[in-house]
Amino acid sequence: MRDVMTQTILRINTIETHVPSGITIMEAARQTGITIPSLCQVRGNKSTESCGLCIVEVEGLSKPVLSCSTLISEGLVVTTDSPELKKIRQERLAALAQTHFGDCKAPCNLT
């Protein structure tokens, strides 16, 4: 007997997509070719804390949600880019920059 993966239908930025069930909004967006800003999920690496930049709007909810931790559901309608999301992301990025002290290492220093 063949294992058939269950698919979920949702809409991201007016694009209807069919993706595997049980994944996050961020994963569904990536599979659809849509990029959601994020600093805590870069090149397959995940941080233990959310950067807060991956927020999206979900129809029917009054506040944006984190796309990296919100699971998809059938019929979900998601907006990844709006003036309100841009404003919140700019504020969050400014807050992150205030506590960043240049402790990153260049890739050439990590090898």
Side-chain angles (χ1 to χ4, degrees), residues 32-110:
T32 307
I34 297 169
T35 301
I36 298 174
S38 174
L39 291 177
C40 59
Q41 291 194 13
V42 179
R43 293 187 194 113
N45 297 316
K46 292 183 180 184
S47 173
T48 56
E49 291 184 41
S50 174
C51 65
L53 297 177
C54 70
I55 55 169
V56 295
E57 295 169 345
V58 174
E59 190 174 277
L61 298 180
S62 60
K63 293 182 180 181
V65 298
L66 295 172
S67 67
C68 66
S69 60
T70 304
L71 295 177
I72 61 169
S73 60
E74 189 71 30
L76 198 68
V77 178
V78 178
T79 300
T80 66
D81 191 25
S82 73
E84 180 64 20
L85 291 173
K86 285 180 183 178
K87 179 180 178 231
I88 295 169
R89 286 178 182 143
Q90 287 173 344
E91 291 168 355
R92 181 65 185 140
L93 192 55
L96 289 170
Q98 285 180 347
T99 59
H100 183 74
F101 301 107
D103 53 353
C104 296
K105 291 190 177 189
C108 59
N109 291 336
L110 295 175

Side-chain angles (χ1 to χ4, degrees), residues 10-17 32 34 76-80:
L10 67 150
R11 184 172 298 277
I12 306 174
N13 295 344
T14 73
I15 299 169
E16 185 174 294
T17 186
T32 307
I34 297 169
L76 198 68
V77 178
V78 178
T79 300
T80 66

